[in-house]
Every structure is written in C-alpha cells, then in structure tokens.
Amino acid sequence: MTLEIVLVLSILLVSVVFLVTEWIPMEVTALLVLGIVALTGLVTPVESLSGFSNPAVVTIWAVFILSGGLTRTGVANIIGNFVMKLAGNREITMIVVIMTTSGFMSALMNNVAVAALMLPVVMDIARHTGSPPSRLLMPLAYGTLLGGLITQIGTPPNILVTDFLRETGFKPFTFFDFTPVGLVVMFFGIAFMALIGRHLLPKRDLAKESTAARKVDWQSQYDIHERIFHVIVPQGSVLINNTLGQIRMGSILGWNVIGITRGNRSMMAPGPNDALQEGDSLTVEGRIENLDELKNWRQMKVDKGKFDLKDFFSEHIQFGEVLIPHNSPFVGTTLNFLDFRNRFQANVLAIRHEDQIKRVGLQDHPLSGGDILLLAASEDHLMKFEKTAGFDGLHQVTVLELASVYRLHEQMMLMQVPEDSSLEGKSLKESRLADALGTHVLGILRDKDSVFMPEPGEILKAKDRLVVEGRLVDFELLKGFEDLVVDRQAEPEDISSLVSEDTGLMEAILAPGTTLEGKTLRQLNFREKFGLNVLALWRGGQAHRSNLRDMEIRFGDALLLLGPRNKLQMLASEPDFIVLTQTVQEKLRWEKMKISILIMFAVLFPVFMGWVPIYIAGVIGAAFMVLTGCLTMEEAYRQIEWKAVFLIAGMLPLGTALDQTGAARLIAESVVAIVGPFGPNAVMFGLISLTFLATCFVPTAALVVLMAPIALNTSTNMGLSPYGMLMAISMAASASFTTPISHPANILVMGPGGYKFLDYVKVGGLLTIVTLVVLMLIMPIFWPLVP
C-alpha cells in the first residue's frame, strides 16, 4: 500500500464521517475535499475543479430548471388533477394511482419537485376521501424515488454513472437503458406498498377522531384545544388602549392571541396594530401556567433614581452610530433575523431615521435605507463596523450626545435580583428578562466581578444589579398581565369555530431550496410579515404548541396557520413555502404550457435519437425555458438544488483520486478476495447491500461518486461486464427508502404525514429488501455480468 493510497483513504474516511455527522454543511465538506486532494497532489488543480464543468453536474442543474418550467406552467398540475379523478375512494387504488403517477412524472422531472408538487394534491385527496394523510404521503415519496429509476435523467445517480462510463472509455448508458430494469423495480415496489406496505403505515388513534366524516381533524392531530383558553381585560387595566404589538404578549408569556371578542363582535387573527379595550375577551393559545413567570420578573427591585451614564460606560463600553445605506443587504431585514447581538457583538439601543428616534420594539423593526443605528459595544467590536460591508460612516458618540440627542439617560434603569429569587442560578437567556421587559441588559454590577455586555449564558446571582436599557412603563405592563382574568367558565374552544368566511386554517411546509431553514419565526418576523398566526408545529411525529417563536424551522416541519384568507393566499405565492391544499396555490402561467411541453420534447427527442448529448440539449432547453417566459431567471436559480451541485462537484475529484492512486483497485481486490469465490452474483449482492446500507447515512450523489470506481475495478478484476454492476449501484443509491434523512423527498412528507423515524425504517426497510431481491433476479437478465 503506497503513501498516496493511505492518504486518499484517510481523506475518504474523514469526509464520510463529516458527511454522516453533518458537523459542517455537506457542501462545505465537499469543497474542502476538493481543495485537499489538490493541495496534496493526488489530482492536479485543473482536475480538482473539473467537477463544476462535468457533464453530469451540468445535466443535473439543467434538469432542475426544465422540471421547474413544467411545474410553473401547470403541466404537472394537469396530471395531478387527473390523479384525483382516478384515485377513487379505495385506499389500495389511491396508493397505486398516486405512486404510478408520481413515478412516471419523476422519470422526466426532479423527484423532489414532483413530491412538492403532488403534496397538496394528495392532501386534498385525503380530505375528500377521509383518509389520514399518513396513509398516502409515504407512498407518494417512495413513488417519486422508484420512478426516478426509469430513465437516464430520473435521478442524479443515473446521470453520474452514465458520465462515469463515458469518462473511463466505455460506451455510456443511453436514455432508455435504465427503463426495463427501472419499470420492473417500480412495479414490484408499488405492488409491495399496495398489498403489504400500506398495512404497516401508521394510523392516528381512532379514539381521537371527532368528526363523523373522518376528515382531517386539525384539533385531534395537533391537540390545539388543550392550549386554547380565554382571558378578559378587566376594568382599569394598564393594557387598555395598547396594541397587541405594544404589549408583546407573545414575547412575554409565549401566548398567541388568535381572536378578540368585543360585545357581539368577534375578530379572528387580530394583527399587531389592533388595540385592547375594557371587557375584551381574548382567545389565546398557550400555557396558562406561564402567568407564574410574572412573579419572577415582578420580584425585581427597580431603582427609580437617576442613572449617570458617564460613571458606568466611559471605561467599559463605547457608543457609536452606523448608517444603513440604501444598497445595504440588511435593508428589509430585522435585528432578530440578522441575530445582530451574536453576529456583531453589539447591542442596538436606538434606531434614528431623519428626525424620528425609535427606542422600543427594535428587534422586530424592519431596517430601512438611511437608518442610523445607535450601538453599544466594546471598543474593539465597535471599530470592526468600519470595515463591515453593509454599514457606512461609523461615528463614535459622546455621553453628551447620548443625553441630548437620544435622551438615553431616561431609558436606563438599575434592577436588582432579590435574595431567594427563582431567577437566581438561571442564565440571562433562561430568565427571558430581555423578552419580558423589552430591554437590553448592558451590564451586571457585582462587588468584585462586574460583567459588561454579558453573554446570554451569563448566570444570575442574588443581589446582582442589572444595568438595563428600557422603560419603566414596560415593566409596569407586567402588572397588566397579572390582572388578566382567566375565564374558566368558557367551554374549551373547538378549533373549527375559528374558521369563518374571512378566516381560514391551513397547513404549510418549507419548500425545497428555501432560504428560511434554520430561522426562527421571531427572526422571520412571521406574524408581522405575513399577517398569520402559527398555532402549532408538527415535527417528527409530535405537535409543538408552546414557545414557537424561538423554534428553528426545519425542512419537513408542518406549520398550522390561522389567518385571513387573503393572507393565506399571499403565503401560497411565497417561493419559500408550500401550502398543503390546492385551493390557495400560486397562480401558474397556463398560457406557457404548450411552450414548455414543446421545449421538453425538443430536448428529449434529439437525445433519444442519439444526435445530441443530454447535457448540451439540457442546457439549451433550460435557456429557452427562461427566454420564453416559462420561468424567470430568479425562479430558475431557485429551482436548482445548489447543495447537490456543490456536493457532487466537490466529491468528484475524490473519486478521480481513488481511481488514479490505485485505492479503488485495492478495495476492489479486497472485495473480490472476500466474496469472489462465491461467484459474480455474490459480488454484486455485496456491493448492492453496501450501497443500500450507506444510503442511510451518505448523500446518494456522493455515494455513487465513491462507489463507481470501486464497482468498475471489481468488474475488471473479475473479467465481468461493468454495466450491470454500475446500474445496480446507481439504482441502489437512488432507492433511498430506509430513513427520512436518506432523501429530501422523505423529509418533505414527514411533517404533513406525522411520521416518526421508525415508520421509515419499518416500511422503507422492507421495501429496500424487496428492491434488493428484484435487482438480483432481473439484473442478470437485462445486463448479464458475464460477457
């Protein structure tokens, strides 16, 4: 074993660990691999970058755009509506029709796009037939994966092995070479799901079904009624005439006001500008026991004396102003969205725009061009703003300016943590003081170890004096919450009563390619931006109903939304979300449908005839999708799954290094030595099984890049044809059924279907075994291993 082989195998092992654990993003791992194999001399610098111009990579992003063009012009919707007519009411028929339709669509379109497109269709089928979505959505995801096996462009693994054959001097697979094997595998996969798999799919507890028609029951699925109650605004309350935005009930108590009843009139999904009046009955979703937290905050002792800015800040904290220019990337975002405090290590104390100064509610205030931010930070962190893109004109502010321009001394308070307080021992973040008081804690005064600009993890101690930037009136608002009267006589709210002619209830999930994954609802300023209430979030088979504002949204989460129907319609047009009903889907470009079909035909026909390579035809077709208006350029960019592109382009040089250094040959010789004596079929069985197992952890595209040279060298060493081996590897990698993380299509349906991890293991594991058996039986028929 040479030093080069040891080196490339070490890189392979470390990269697989990082891909499995995702300690860093997968595409970053791939780019690091690209750089390392070049720096170590395993491949030349030109070879290390060749992945970005690789025909397989070009084909993949071109197919993403072509698929998007068919989607945006309504081609796929026509097929979806046809499915609804064919599906009927029998579960077995619905599963067969859904899987067959999504499968054939995935033969020409990206399978994640097909799953996203068909998701609202299948949800509507579930509602119309009274079937639980959990009985239909996993078959939808598996149908798209099975259908991708049928053609050369059906999945990235098929594209990759085709190009690998071309690069290694073999005749590449043609468009329909995958079809015979793919159709047989798809047939048995659908048969398994229809006859056996569907009996393993989860069902909701029938005892919770409360509607006679057995339609989708939001209340039983999300248990919303357990968290809905009523509170009354009493006479003389300090909350009277304050808007919902001003009192910040969501930040302070984690309560979501979903309705206001005033006399005989009810207002559902009120906005942040709606004011409270005496006697208002608020329909609230949240935990009643959160009122107990008020006692913790009300225990704080407030020093109402004057606060001398000069004595405290001159030595430890500097103040400065920075301008948000009109071309700043921060325009339109909020401090919460930017995670400003952690990102820049500075607190924003005020926002000045011309003659207006805003001191409260800064975290959710959209930034505008021309805004001037008043910052408090250490001198080192403040100076960094001079070189930070997006900011202009750092100006250090004197104590005199703080008092005369910003009147900051009027906004400063000293608050003391009393002895035996329940806040003692909690971190600043856990105490939620900043949320409760709408303030910044700028310092903690102690006898010996005072802390300035404390981190969220700083632990509070008895007798701590907190230097707080805020208003006493905000502290006094807490008294208003204590005075709210819980109406315990009111019946628990039926969620159906929240729906009216003007107010609707809807589920939505993050769309593939979204930029919002990992953001919280607070960072997104969701309620203010979209005018909708998030009642619950479904994740991993469990409903979450509390503290949703601070939960990071993940791909596959389902959000239960309440709001005006026109606002729900607007959300449907947002490219970052998929609404799970067709009634509010985004408007399509129906007039471009014939053009998109013609473009797709013009791409595929010369490929069928062997006149033009698929990657050239795909690029030209993608360009014409934009030129003819089937897609805008922005939509085309969004259709491309950039993570997959960078992952494949970054890992391809490692595949080259495995081949050129002899590492792939060494692994192949080991495989032959272990299972070779049992014959060619045993070798193929071993490689397919290894690929199936690896799909549970390693991204399919990266897996094929690594397995292809091993399979080719194994075939060469045994004197076998490489075609059957490579096609089997490709199909095994594409058939990622076993876990939700195996493929984005699986994650996409996880939230709406209410699935748990083990549901995929149970159903997908058996389907994987079926696929393995079918491949072993039919591959020698269509692609014999022995020439």
Side-chain angles (χ1 to χ4, degrees):
M1 185 181 295
T2 66
L3 178 62
E4 286 184 330
I5 292 178
V6 173
L7 188 58
V8 75
L9 290 179
S10 300
I11 295 172
L12 171 63
L13 178 63
V14 173
S15 63
V16 169
V17 170
F18 277 101
L19 289 173
V20 171
T21 60
E22 291 192 59
W23 288 332
I24 58 176
M26 290 186 292
E27 57 272 34
V28 175
T29 297
L31 293 177
L32 289 174
V33 167
L34 179 155
I36 291 171
V37 293
L39 289 174
T40 52
L42 295 173
V43 298
T44 67
V46 173
E47 287 174 328
S48 71
L49 296 175
S50 62
F52 289 99
S53 60
N54 186 279
V57 175
V58 173
T59 304
I60 288 168
W61 64 251
V63 169
F64 284 142
I65 295 176
L66 291 169
S67 174
L70 295 176
T71 301
R72 291 293 296 121
T73 56
V75 175
N77 285 66
I78 294 293
I79 299 173
N81 291 330
F82 179 68
V83 173
M84 290 192 67
K85 294 178 182 178
L86 286 179
N89 293 318
R90 294 183 62 216
E91 184 177 80
I92 188 170
T93 306
M94 288 189 286
I95 288 175
V96 170
V97 171
I98 288 170
M99 293 188 71
T100 302
T101 305
S102 60
F104 280 111
M105 290 171 66
S106 294
L108 298 178
M109 296 174 61
N110 172 253
N111 41 28
V112 180
V114 172
L117 177 76
M118 291 291 291
L119 190 51
V121 177
V122 175
M123 291 296 290
D124 280 346
I125 292 175
R127 293 189 183 101
H128 293 152
T129 61
S131 299
S134 60
R135 308 289 292 176
L136 304 176
L137 290 181
M138 193 179 290
L140 166 65
Y142 289 166
T144 64
L145 298 181
L146 289 167
L149 307 179
I150 297 175
T151 65
Q152 178 192 350
I153 64 171
T155 64
N158 288 2
I159 296 172
L160 287 166
V161 296
T162 299
D163 188 68
F164 178 75
L165 284 169
R166 181 189 60 78
E167 285 191 340
T168 50
F170 290 87
K171 180 183 177 182
F173 290 124
T174 64
F175 193 88
F176 287 117
D177 278 348
F178 295 87
T179 304
V181 177
L183 283 175
V184 175
V185 173
M186 179 176 164
F187 172 81
F188 280 99
I190 294 174
F192 167 79
M193 289 301 297
L195 300 176
I196 300 172
R198 68 188 181 95
H199 298 295
L200 304 175
L201 292 170
K203 292 181 180 179
R204 293 204 314 276
D205 185 356
L206 294 178
K208 292 186 176 181
E209 298 284 68
S210 59
T211 56
R214 292 184 63 244
K215 293 186 178 180
V216 176
D217 182 4
W218 307 115
Q219 185 152 299
S220 65
Q221 180 172 347
Y222 287 95
D223 291 332
I224 293 295
H225 64 286
E226 294 182 0
R227 297 288 170 80
I228 294 181
F229 56 95
H230 300 269
V231 294
I232 298 173
V233 181
Q235 182 180 4
S237 171
V238 296
L239 302 180
I240 294 173
N241 294 326
N242 282 289
T243 66
L244 291 175
Q246 289 172 330
I247 65 174
R248 300 177 301 104
M249 190 175 286
S251 297
I252 296 174
L253 294 174
W255 288 1
N256 193 2
V257 180
I258 59 181
I260 299 176
T261 301
R262 185 172 297 155
N264 296 323
R265 188 170 67 91
S266 294
M267 175 171 52
M268 302 311 300
N273 295 322
D274 290 310
L276 300 182
Q277 300 296 327
E278 178 184 324
D280 281 352
S281 176
L282 311 182
T283 302
V284 176
E285 183 208 14
R287 294 178 179 270
I288 296 180
E289 55 268 27
N290 285 359
L291 279 171
D292 295 336
E293 286 194 30
L294 290 176
K295 298 176 183 178
N296 299 333
W297 302 324
R298 292 278 291 167
Q299 290 172 352
M300 299 286 288
K301 298 176 182 179
V302 181
D303 184 349
K304 298 184 180 180
K306 290 186 177 180
F307 188 86
D308 193 333
L309 290 170
K310 185 176 180 180
D311 290 345
F312 180 67
F313 288 111
S314 58
E315 182 180 350
H316 307 287
I317 298 178
Q318 299 293 316
F319 291 88
E321 292 178 328
V322 290
L323 173 71
I324 303 287
H326 290 278
N327 62 349
S328 171
F330 305 136
V331 171
T333 64
T334 65
L335 299 179
N336 257 326
F337 182 84
L338 296 173
D339 194 18
F340 196 96
R341 172 67 176 82
N342 294 323
R343 183 174 177 180
F344 300 109
Q345 295 298 304
N347 280 322
V348 178
L349 305 184
I351 299 177
R352 180 158 63 95
H353 192 94
E354 297 178 351
D355 295 331
Q356 302 294 319
I357 297 178
K358 185 177 179 64
R359 300 184 183 86
V360 295
L362 303 182
Q363 295 300 310
D364 298 323
H365 176 73
L367 299 176
S368 303
D371 281 351
I372 295 175
L373 310 184
L374 175 64
L375 306 174
S378 67
E379 185 174 5
D380 289 343
H381 288 118
L382 197 62
M383 289 301 104
K384 290 180 181 179
F385 281 89
E386 287 186 328
K387 299 179 181 179
T388 303
F391 300 106
D392 275 346
L394 175 65
H395 163 65
Q396 286 195 296
V397 179
T398 65
V399 174
L400 181 61
E401 288 175 300
L402 291 176
S404 61
V405 177
Y406 290 98
R407 306 189 68 81
L408 193 62
H409 61 290
E410 299 176 0
Q411 300 286 319
M412 305 303 295
M413 297 186 294
L414 274 177
M415 306 181 70
Q416 188 175 59
V417 179
E419 294 187 76
D420 300 324
S421 170
S422 57
L423 293 176
E424 184 180 357
K426 288 186 176 181
S427 67
L428 278 175
K429 183 176 181 179
E430 291 170 339
S431 72
R432 296 180 56 240
L433 277 171
D435 285 339
L437 306 176
T439 64
H440 300 287
V441 178
L442 300 179
I444 302 177
L445 301 183
R446 293 171 180 154
D447 292 337
K448 294 181 180 179
D449 56 344
S450 295
V451 181
F452 305 99
M453 298 291 291
E455 296 291 333
E458 184 67 33
I459 302 299
L460 294 174
K461 301 177 181 179
K463 297 184 179 181
D464 276 351
R465 290 185 299 156
L466 310 184
V467 181
V468 173
E469 187 264 334
R471 301 182 305 172
L472 187 60
V473 65
D474 291 322
F475 185 69
E476 292 173 346
L477 273 178
L478 299 181
K479 178 67 168 60
F481 290 121
E482 282 188 296
D483 293 338
L484 288 173
V485 178
V486 178
D487 187 358
R488 301 187 184 278
Q489 301 299 317
E491 291 292 327
E493 192 78 35
D494 188 329
I495 197 169
S496 62
S497 66
L498 305 177
V499 179
S500 66
E501 183 178 345
D502 300 320
T503 304
L505 200 62
M506 182 181 74
E507 278 185 304
I509 61 173
L510 290 180
T514 180
T515 58
L516 306 184
E517 186 176 13
K519 297 293 185 182
T520 66
L521 295 175
R522 183 200 296 262
Q523 288 176 319
L524 298 177
N525 209 19
F526 189 90
R527 182 163 180 170
E528 289 73 18
K529 182 177 180 179
F530 299 110
L532 299 170
N533 289 320
V534 181
L535 300 185
L537 181 148
W538 187 272
R539 173 182 295 167
Q542 182 179 358
H544 299 268
R545 300 172 296 274
S546 301
N547 300 319
L548 300 180
R549 289 163 53 90
D550 296 313
M551 286 185 67
E552 292 183 354
I553 307 176
R554 300 176 188 169
F555 188 59
D557 288 347
L559 305 177
L560 181 61
L561 306 172
L562 174 74
R565 294 189 183 276
N566 62 323
K567 298 291 186 181
L568 295 173
Q569 185 77 45
M570 289 175 63
L571 185 73
S573 64
E574 289 287 328
D576 287 305
F577 292 95
I578 299 172
V579 295
L580 302 186
T581 175
Q582 284 193 296
T583 56
V584 291
Q585 288 291 302
E586 182 181 5
K587 186 178 180 181
L588 301 174
R589 301 185 182 100
W590 297 102
E591 71 280 2
K592 301 288 186 179
M593 181 188 295
K594 292 181 180 179
I595 296 175
S596 67
I597 295 174
L598 183 62
I599 291 172
M600 197 67 185
F601 177 79
V603 168
L604 297 179
F605 183 73
V607 174
F608 297 159
M609 301 302 295
W611 298 339
V612 181
I614 181 64
Y615 46 91
I616 298 298
V619 169
I620 295 173
F624 271 96
M625 282 291 187
V626 176
L627 284 174
T628 56
C630 296
L631 283 175
T632 66
M633 198 65 230
E634 182 181 354
E635 288 170 339
Y637 282 128
R638 291 186 67 93
Q639 293 298 324
I640 299 173
E641 192 178 334
W642 292 106
K643 179 180 289 189
V645 171
F646 280 97
L647 178 65
I648 296 169
M651 294 301 292
L652 278 171
L654 181 57
T656 302
L658 281 170
D659 190 39
Q660 291 182 352
T661 60
R665 185 171 62 254
L666 179 65
I667 297 173
E669 290 171 353
S670 301
V671 171
V672 172
I674 296 172
V675 295
F678 299 98
N681 287 335
V683 173
M684 186 169 72
F685 177 83
L687 289 176
I688 294 177
S689 299
L690 177 61
T691 305
F692 270 129
L693 180 64
T695 59
C696 299
F697 314 104
V698 182
T700 56
L703 179 61
V704 169
V705 169
L706 301 177
M707 290 294 297
I710 296 172
L712 178 62
N713 278 275
T714 301
S715 302
T716 303
N717 289 348
M718 296 187 67
L720 305 176
S721 168
Y723 292 100
M725 201 78 76
L726 284 170
M727 183 174 288
I729 293 294
S730 174
M731 292 196 171
S734 300
S736 310
F737 308 122
T738 313
T739 69
I741 60 175
S742 298
H743 198 278
N746 294 343
I747 301 177
L748 191 68
V749 301
M750 189 175 187
Y755 298 120
K756 298 180 180 179
F757 190 94
L758 287 178
D759 293 327
Y760 290 90
V761 175
K762 182 170 56 177
V763 182
L766 288 177
L767 181 56
T768 298
I769 294 173
V770 170
T771 305
L772 172 61
V773 171
V774 173
L775 284 175
M776 289 302 301
L777 291 175
I778 66 169
M779 194 61 72
I781 298 175
F782 293 103
W783 297 93
L785 293 177
V786 180

